[in-house]
Amino acid sequence: MSERPSPLIIQGGMGAGVSGWRLARAVARTGQLGVVSGVALDALLARGLQAGDEGGHLRRALASFPLPDVTERILRRYYVPGGIEPGQRFRPVPKLGLNPNRIRDELTVAGNFAEVWLAKQGHDGPIGVNYLEKIQLATPAAAYGAMLAGVDYVLMGAGIPSEIPALLDALAAGSPGHLTISVAGADDGRTLTFDPGSLAGPARARPRLLAIVSSSVLAMYLHRTPATRPDGFVLETAIAGGHSAPPRGRMRLDDDGEPIYGRRDRIDLEKVGALGLPFWVAGGYARPGTLAEARSAGAAGIQAGSIFALSRDSGLDPALRRRLVQEALNGTLRIRNDPYASPTGFPFKVATLPGTLTDDDVYEKRPRLCDLSYLRTPYLKQNGAVGYRCPAEPVDTHVRKGGTLEDTVGRRCLCNALVADVGLAQHRPDGYVEPPLLTLGQDLGFLPGLVHKVGADYAAADAVDYLLSS
């Protein structure tokens, strides 16, 4: 990868599809790091094609995919000219799992390739892709697809990405990549192997890896050996959008039911800086002047998410985005750090918007099911085989699989809800439509000044200019 200056601003990865290729491309055109979310890109590709692929962008990307036979199979299976009928159910995609599945791998590789390829068109700015350690089963094939498209950075959060440096090295060399998959109830994990030689061979140049962490302790842990060492860090505070690390020590909740963070949860920038790797700070930095403050503290720059999620270039459904902006400006929008909403067990920021899955009535009416299944986790069955469970699946099913009743309380189906956020909600045979669930950071103080300056329907480039201003 050719050397280029480190970006001052990283546009945060927001899934599923909120930080899509249009947003990442718009940010990269300004010279900053545009990041696509790598979550559920197989489903977004399949549903986008079934929705008719307006503008032909997905088909244009697939035409450049280096596996024409795979492209033909995907189009034959999923593309619907003009789109499926309103209310019709989207055809499903294969679920993640440990057992080999060529159709699943091909769709994952192609989905990640298409998203990154589209983001990189028409400029020479940097493009990254964001993955979650909690979705381990998708990572090798997904990263390979992004690398085939020439992705510049991989950002990894929601866990400890200690095996990702070696995985990226292997994929770039065309060698099989290995990842240890955690299996609940087992003494050790299972090895997931992905062989790029079974598809298109070596990927393009190895991207830089930025580990998203919430403590200097974790940064030092990853830095300790070349095998686990990333190329830099994003240091994320607890008020950033999406998932956040739980407080260190025993979980305590305040009067509003949100986790209490204390002194042990503060990130020691000095200790991270002493490691000698570049780092960016995230969570509450989307204001004029905070970039200069961060750099004076030794950071290479800042990462910001919500300011871009609310821009017109984001993948959010436009009506939902306008509601969020208006309620935030009115002072009526509350962002909760919900300790129970996510099946991962990590606290998750939820925007309490009526009609979404944060609404208790909407939540109670939703039939519990797990069909997209990105957040389900492997567990060891009594017979020694590996099964899969999710705390958001039907309660009796989860308990029958060895999960606890307590783990199911309050859990939301993030997989279906986040896909609904970008206008690709699943329609069930009985007419039920999956509701959205929206996430933002807890500091929206940037919005009034930005809207006053450029209007409520602002572009990603306006957000970059605002962040660069003093």
Side-chain angles (χ1 to χ4, degrees):
M1 186 177 70
S2 60
E3 288 296 322
R4 67 170 94 223
S6 292
L8 295 173
I9 297 169
I10 298 175
Q11 162 254 306
M14 299 167 287
V18 174
S19 56
W21 64 266
R22 291 177 178 85
L23 175 58
R25 186 180 65 173
V27 172
R29 279 177 166 168
T30 72
Q32 305 305 322
L33 178 54
V35 179
V36 299
S37 168
V39 175
L41 287 178
D42 53 344
L44 294 187
L45 173 63
R47 291 190 182 185
L49 290 171
Q50 290 173 82
D53 186 22
E54 185 177 354
H57 301 295
L58 296 175
R59 284 167 291 157
R60 184 162 55 91
L62 289 175
S64 293
F65 189 52
L67 297 163
D69 290 349
V70 172
T71 293
E72 183 182 346
R73 282 196 290 273
I74 290 172
L75 291 175
R76 186 168 61 243
R77 185 174 181 83
Y78 292 109
Y79 177 54
V80 178
I84 60 176
E85 293 296 320
Q88 187 176 342
R89 181 174 180 266
F90 287 113
R91 188 173 190 173
V93 301
K95 294 182 181 181
L96 298 175
L98 280 164
N99 294 329
N101 186 317
R102 187 177 179 89
I103 293 174
R104 179 188 66 219
D105 286 349
E106 288 177 349
L107 190 60
T108 299
V109 171
N112 280 263
F113 173 90
E115 196 77 4
V116 172
W117 188 90
L118 287 167
K120 289 184 73 72
Q121 298 307 296
H123 63 88
D124 60 359
I127 291 294
V129 61
N130 180 271
Y131 296 120
L132 300 180
E133 182 69 17
K134 285 287 187 181
I135 310 181
Q136 291 181 300
L137 292 166
T139 300
Y144 176 64
M147 290 169 70
L148 280 179
V151 74
D152 300 294
Y153 287 82
V154 168
L155 297 89
M156 197 85 177
I160 305 174
S162 57
E163 295 186 0
I164 304 304
L167 175 68
L168 298 181
D169 289 342
L171 297 179
S175 304
H178 308 287
L179 202 60
T180 303
I181 305 300
S182 301
V183 177
D187 294 332
D188 52 10
R190 299 292 186 270
T191 299
L192 177 66
T193 299
F194 177 82
D195 184 5
S198 67
L199 292 175
R204 295 176 61 177
R206 182 196 188 277
R208 296 173 183 163
L209 171 66
L210 301 183
I212 303 173
V213 299
S214 60
S215 74
S216 52
V217 173
L218 182 50
M220 291 187 287
Y221 170 80
L222 291 171
H223 184 270
R224 75 195 191 286
T225 69
T228 62
R229 188 176 301 148
D231 299 290
F233 299 99
V234 176
L235 308 178
E236 196 171 75
T237 71
I239 65 171
H243 288 98
S244 58
R248 296 179 68 187
R250 184 174 64 87
M251 172 81 82
R252 294 182 300 119
L253 305 181
D254 63 18
D255 292 341
D256 294 321
E258 299 188 36
I260 298 173
Y261 292 86
R263 261 190 325 182
R264 294 177 63 194
D265 302 299
R266 295 174 190 163
I267 304 172
D268 191 326
L269 301 188
E270 227 174 272
K271 287 184 178 179
V272 178
L275 300 176
L277 296 178
F279 67 89
W280 289 258
V281 289
Y285 288 91
R287 299 168 187 264
T290 54
L291 175 58
E293 292 172 11
R295 287 180 59 78
S296 69
I302 62 174
Q303 176 178 285
S306 298
I307 193 171
F308 293 108
L310 297 176
S311 76
R312 66 170 176 261
D313 294 301
S314 97
L316 276 177
D317 177 88
L320 290 173
R321 178 175 60 83
R322 286 192 291 268
R323 284 182 64 193
L324 287 171
V325 170
Q326 194 56 58
E327 293 212 15
L329 291 173
N330 292 343
T332 56
L333 182 65
R334 185 185 172 208
I335 311 295
R336 289 193 68 246
N337 194 20
D338 193 321
Y340 305 114
S342 173
T344 65
F346 279 25
F348 186 77
K349 311 301 181 310
V350 294
T352 55
L353 206 64
T356 69
L357 208 53
T358 56
D359 188 322
D360 287 340
D361 287 341
V362 175
Y363 172 66
E364 293 297 334
K365 289 176 182 175
R366 182 188 180 271
R368 288 182 74 119
L369 77 166
C370 180
D371 53 354
L372 284 174
S373 305
Y374 292 101
L375 292 176
R376 68 178 185 168
T377 55
Y379 73 98
L380 193 65
K381 295 181 177 181
Q382 289 185 343
N383 63 3
V386 174
Y388 303 89
R389 66 189 181 210
C390 176
E393 68 189 349
V395 174
D396 56 346
T397 301
H398 186 69
V399 172
R400 188 171 66 248
K401 293 177 180 178
T404 66
L405 179 65
E406 291 77 15
D407 278 348
T408 68
V409 177
R411 303 298 183 187
R412 267 64 174 168
C413 179
L414 294 191
C415 298
N416 275 293
L418 297 183
V419 171
D421 290 348
V422 294
L424 292 172
Q426 182 64 288
H427 290 70
R428 307 294 175 193
D430 61 0
Y432 182 82
V433 181
E434 287 286 356
L437 183 148
L438 298 145
T439 180
L440 290 172
Q442 290 183 297
D443 181 3
L444 300 179
F446 63 84
L447 198 58
L450 177 57
V451 169
H452 177 75
K453 185 177 180 182
V454 295
D457 192 35
Y458 63 89
D462 295 323
V464 170
D465 288 343
Y466 184 73
L467 294 175
L468 291 174
S469 67
S470 59

